[in-house]
Amino acid sequence: MNPEQSFAAWLTQQISQRGYDLNQRGEQTRFARAAGLKAATLSRLLRGGADPDIKTCGDLARALGCKTTHVLAAAGLIPGVEEPMPTPRPLTRRDHLVGLVGNDPAAQEAVIVLLRALRKWPESS
């Protein structure tokens, strides 16, 4: 992280690099759900109105697909990490599905059935 960059700016950049458009309605909530955070908590972090605790850093790291030390360093809780951040992987259909309805298999299957009826989800997936 750039030493001049705030944690809020760093987090916004990291979330955006993973395919979440935070300018679109519901995207912030979708990422919060993927991270296991309350939407209000993520909103405060993105506005710079709160500093993350260690557990929140771990939750963010899991959702961002990086090591917790990267998030802790970006938050200023530990010295900077020499190891580079991993290149974000694009979100898969399944990632989007989990972001939409969570890990409930019945809800996921209902959405897949609907998307298949609309010819927006391939039969082989």
Side-chain angles (χ1 to χ4, degrees), residues 10-114:
W10 177 87
L11 183 57
T12 299
Q13 178 185 30
Q14 295 301 314
I15 292 171
S16 296
Q17 286 178 348
R18 282 149 182 87
Y20 293 88
D21 183 353
L22 296 175
N23 294 318
Q24 289 220 355
R25 181 179 173 99
E27 287 290 279
Q28 188 171 307
T29 301
R30 192 165 70 88
F31 180 79
R33 187 179 304 129
L37 299 173
K38 292 181 180 177
T41 299
L42 180 62
S43 178
R44 283 192 300 278
L45 291 170
L46 292 172
R47 287 192 326 264
D51 294 320
D53 59 20
I54 293 173
K55 181 190 176 312
T56 300
C57 287
D59 293 338
L60 290 169
R62 182 181 40 76
L64 293 171
C66 65
K67 293 184 177 182
T68 303
T69 53
H70 286 108
V71 183
L72 290 167
L77 298 173
I78 64 171
V81 178
E82 296 296 320
E83 184 179 342
M85 283 282 289
T87 303
R89 68 171 177 80
L91 295 174
T92 65
R93 282 190 174 102
R94 282 284 168 191
D95 294 333
H96 286 290
L97 187 60
V98 169
L100 181 65
V101 296
N103 288 318
D104 178 359
Q108 289 179 8
E109 188 57 33
V111 171
I112 290 171
V113 167
L114 174 65

